[in-house]
Structure formats: C-alpha cells, structure tokens
Amino acid sequence: MDSSVNTPVTKVAKTSRLRWRAADIALGAALGVACGIVFWGFNFAYAWIAPLLRAVLPGITSLFHAFWYFSGPLALIIIRKPGAAIYVDILGSLTETLFGNQYSFTFVFLSALLQGLFAEVPFAIFRYRKFNLGLTVASGALTALEYGFYVLFTRLQGVALVSPRGLTHMVCEIIGGILIAGVMSWFLYLAIAKTGALDRFASGRAVSSRK
C-alpha cells in the first residue's frame, strides 16, 4: 500500500531532477562557449608544442588531447542533467569553429558528439544520481579511450594500434584523459562552485553544504 502511494511522487521527483530548466540551458551555453574558447586557444599552443614533443617521442602529444574534451565531464558534474556533455561539447565545437581552426568542421563536430556520448556513460550507469571524483575520472578515461581510437581511424590511419607509436598514443591519451578531463575537471568544478557562481544549482549546493 505504501509503495503504491509513494510511486507517483517518486516518479515526479525523478522527472523533476532530470528535467532541463532554462537556467540549465543558459549555464550549458555559457560553459560551451567558454570551453570552445579554450579549445581554440589550445589549438595554437598544440601547433607549437606538438612538433617538439614528437621529436622526443612520437605519440606523446596525446597526453594533452584532453584539453579538447575535458568539457564533457566538467559539464556533467556542473549541470547534472542527461545530455549535458553532448550539449556543451557540441556548443564548444561550434564556438571553436566560429573562431577558426586548422581542422575540418566534420572532424570537429563528429569528434565532439562522440566525446559527449562516451563522457555520459559512467554517470548514466548510476542514473545521474552520483557525481564524484571517481565517476569524473571514469568519464575522462572513457572519453580518452574513444578519442584515442577516433584519432587512429582518422588522423593516424597509417599507424597501427599494436606499434610503438600506436601504443604510446593510446597510453598517453588515457593518462591525459584521467588527469585532465577527470581530475582537473573535478577540481575546476570545485573552484567554480566555491565562488558562489553555482549556488542556484545542485552542483553548487553540494559544495556549499560541505562548508
């Protein structure tokens, strides 16, 4: 009897928790544009440093690729809604393309879509109820795994996975995904929340309640 009475209330609460509000859409838009500017700026840094690193060890540049996809895990732990990573990643890619870069729109857009999808998986498994460092790291690592293969199939077609360069690329990609898209995104979220900018959101209240 009790469960039959509480079930509608539970469903309403769950739907409300996962429903996007106007504030979530606005926050995601702002986050997407900000991340897109970071992507665009990183393009210049990467173009300068990549040749130097390749001369030291081919494949080691993949350590820094996560600066192109940290936005997915970051969006999820800040907005905490299904599709947040996809939304912010795509907006970021559009912003980056608008400013101009050396990569084709198709490559960047498809990359952003896949990154967003894979970033969502760990949080979706827990039905968007848990948001912690462990899941953020898992999100970054899974996105890194996807992007590592995406690069092998597109920009590194002549490089075999089971080769010194291919293995170095994948190992460095995953390390970068864990440290940059995972750990860095988590502490960046905490830093943003502590400013009070997220007080209207569950992610901000989660931090303020610990104080």
Side-chain angles (χ1 to χ4, degrees):
M1 183 68 176
D2 288 340
S3 63
S4 64
V5 172
N6 292 331
T7 296
V9 177
T10 302
K11 287 183 178 179
V12 169
K14 182 179 179 180
T15 302
S16 177
R17 178 176 59 83
L18 299 180
R19 184 186 295 124
W20 280 71
R21 304 168 301 161
D24 299 318
I25 296 172
L27 177 60
L31 191 58
V33 171
C35 288
I37 294 173
V38 173
F39 302 158
W40 174 74
F42 179 67
N43 289 337
F44 294 98
Y46 186 80
W48 177 80
I49 196 173
L52 301 176
L53 293 176
R54 289 193 195 105
V56 176
L57 180 63
I60 198 173
T61 55
S62 301
L63 278 170
F64 303 99
H65 288 173
F67 281 109
W68 282 316
Y69 54 77
F70 76 95
S71 54
L74 180 64
L76 283 160
I77 55 180
I78 287 180
I79 301 175
R80 305 193 172 191
K81 306 287 183 180
I86 299 170
Y87 176 53
V88 170
D89 280 359
I90 289 178
L91 282 179
S93 72
L94 293 175
T95 301
E96 177 190 2
T97 302
L98 183 63
F99 277 92
N101 61 39
Q102 66 268 43
Y103 306 106
S104 70
F105 173 76
T106 302
F107 174 84
V108 173
F109 183 82
L110 181 57
S111 178
L113 178 60
L114 290 172
Q115 288 161 15
L117 285 170
F118 277 77
E120 299 266 347
V121 172
F123 296 97
I125 290 173
F126 288 91
R127 300 182 180 182
Y128 299 92
R129 291 181 180 275
K130 291 187 178 182
F131 299 91
N132 53 40
L133 177 59
L135 283 179
T136 308
V137 167
S139 179
L142 196 57
T143 307
L145 187 64
E146 172 277 319
Y147 188 70
F149 280 104
Y150 182 74
V151 170
L152 279 175
F153 292 140
T154 54
R155 303 188 64 81
L156 297 178
Q157 293 181 6
V159 178
L161 173 61
V162 186
S163 68
R165 185 178 179 183
L167 291 173
T168 301
H169 156 67
M170 288 303 298
V171 170
C172 289
E173 192 74 59
I174 294 171
I175 292 173
I178 290 171
L179 296 179
I180 298 172
V183 176
M184 186 196 78
S185 290
W186 178 257
F187 285 101
L188 180 58
Y189 146 63
L190 291 180
I192 295 171
K194 287 176 182 177
T195 67
L198 303 177
D199 285 351
R200 295 175 57 195
F201 303 90
S203 57
R205 293 191 292 272
V207 172
S208 61
S209 66
R210 298 177 188 172
K211 296 179 181 179

